[in-house]
Amino acid sequence: MRPAGSRGTGRPRRPIGENIQLLVDRPDGTYCFRLHRDRVYYLSEKLLKLAASIPRESLVAPGTCFGKFTKSQKFRLSVTALDFLAPYAKYKVWVKPGSEQSFLYGNHVLKSGLGRITENTAQYQGVVVYSMADVPLGFGVAAKSTQECRKVDPLAIVVFHQADVGEYVRNEDTLT
């Protein structure tokens, strides 16, 4: 079985890399990740202590949902983690204004809609997708490396869609 978060490349995709430590040791306190019903939640240790007094079967969501494990045990990031991960992202992609709406409807990013991409982004690397105005729109996986993006056809897919802020409207019943 492949490790969670890998796509057969032999290495996991890490959108924020070593910056994960900055999420745990914050100036306003210590935060942690907890697994609850196949979902990973991000919460402060204060909130964790308060949640311990509630029975597990009665607990809906102990913090902010960062993602969930699928039935095949792969981890899938949730759009609810975007506000926490975007400031620490190592690899970023900016989309042109004409392609923002397409991405927010759940479509992949084409080369013709690519505004900029972080240098040295590897193929299958996790990326945070931004508008040209630096507003985080969602998550994706680089379909091509930075060097390949320069040479490909304008209709080639350069970023695979993973999650976007449009999911707040499309899936409002299931987001926790």
Side-chain angles (χ1 to χ4, degrees):
M1 182 184 319
R2 287 182 277 192
S6 71
R7 280 240 192 207
T9 60
R11 62 180 180 77
R13 299 182 315 265
R14 295 185 181 101
I16 66 170
E18 300 80 34
N19 291 342
I20 192 82
Q21 190 64 36
L22 298 172
L23 285 175
V24 176
D25 297 326
R26 291 179 27 175
D28 59 336
T30 304
Y31 284 69
C32 60
F33 294 95
R34 287 294 179 257
L35 182 66
H36 179 66
R37 297 184 186 157
D38 289 333
R39 295 182 189 271
V40 175
Y41 291 93
Y42 176 67
L43 64 157
S44 68
E45 287 192 348
K46 279 189 215 175
L47 187 59
L48 179 66
K49 289 176 185 171
L50 293 171
S53 64
I54 300 171
R56 285 183 73 88
E57 58 275 353
S58 300
L59 192 61
V60 177
T64 303
C65 182
F66 257 48
K68 68 177 190 172
F69 285 97
T70 63
K71 291 186 193 277
S72 61
Q73 295 303 307
K74 292 181 183 172
F75 186 72
R76 182 153 175 85
L77 274 173
S78 174
V79 69
T80 53
L82 183 62
D83 292 334
F84 296 98
L85 297 180
Y88 305 114
K90 290 176 69 176
Y91 301 101
K92 302 174 185 179
V93 169
W94 289 265
V95 294
K96 293 179 181 174
S99 295
E100 285 179 27
Q101 187 172 6
S102 176
F103 181 76
L104 293 176
Y105 280 136
N107 297 316
H108 303 307
V109 178
L110 303 178
K111 165 69 161 91
S112 60
L114 182 68
R116 295 187 323 214
I117 185 169
T118 306
E119 280 298 317
N120 300 323
T121 301
Q123 187 176 22
Y124 304 122
Q125 175 65 53
V127 295
V128 175
V129 179
Y130 286 86
S131 69
M132 292 303 281
D134 280 335
V135 176
L137 300 176
F139 299 112
V141 177
K144 310 276 184 204
S145 68
T146 303
Q147 286 70 28
E148 291 172 334
C149 284
R150 293 184 178 118
K151 304 175 207 162
V152 297
D153 177 58
L155 297 178
I157 295 172
V158 293
V159 177
F160 296 121
H161 177 274
Q162 191 171 26
D164 64 79
V165 293
E167 288 180 24
Y168 283 121
V169 175
R170 292 192 310 267
N171 302 333
E172 64 183 310
D173 296 338
T174 58
L175 287 176
T176 56

